[in-house]
Amino acid sequence: ENDWNEALKQAAAKNKYVFVDAYASWCGPCKMLKNTTFKDKKAAEFYNKNFINISIDMEKGQGPQLAAQWQMQAYPTLIIFNPKGQPVMGTVGYIKAPDLIRFGEAALKK
C-alpha cells in the first residue's frame, strides 16, 4: 500500500498493468469498495492474476503529489496504468465486482 514507485518497478519487471485504488480515509464509497467489491473472490482472482494492485491514500505520503499529478476530482478513483506508468483507463465512484472485472478486461485490451 502507498508505494507507487515500488508498484511501477514490479509492473516493469513482470510486464503487468498497475491497478490503483486512489482513496481518502474519510470516503464512504471507498470503504464500501474495500469491504465488498475488493473482497469478491472472482474480482480478487482476476486482479491478482492480471495486475499489480495498489491502494493509495491520496492525503498521506506520496498521495497529495500524485493527486495533483493525476488531477484527482473525487474518491474513490480507480485507474489502470500500463507498465510504463501511463494511464490507460479510469473510473470514479463505487463499482460492483462484475463491473470492476469488465473495467479491467477493457483496460487489458488497450
Side-chain angles (χ1 to χ4, degrees), residues 31-103:
K31 291 175 187 166
M32 260 175 46
L33 203 56
K34 276 190 176 24
N35 293 329
T36 58
T37 305
F38 292 164
K39 287 188 176 169
D40 179 88
K41 192 170 185 249
K42 280 185 181 169
E45 283 174 2
F46 175 79
Y47 275 82
N48 289 332
K49 179 179 159 205
N50 292 293
F51 297 94
I52 301 298
N53 301 296
I54 181 172
S55 287
I56 302 175
D57 184 333
M58 301 313 283
E59 296 180 334
K60 292 183 183 151
Q62 287 181 299
Q65 178 190 343
L66 293 171
Q69 185 181 330
W70 298 340
Q71 301 173 344
M72 292 280 133
Q73 306 282 317
Y75 302 112
T77 297
L78 307 176
I79 313 169
I80 293 178
F81 293 87
N82 69 19
K84 293 181 178 141
Q86 298 158 325
V88 174
M89 266 179 87
T91 186
V92 176
Y94 176 77
I95 185 172
K96 290 186 170 155
D99 299 322
L100 183 67
I101 293 169
R102 279 193 287 279
F103 171 71

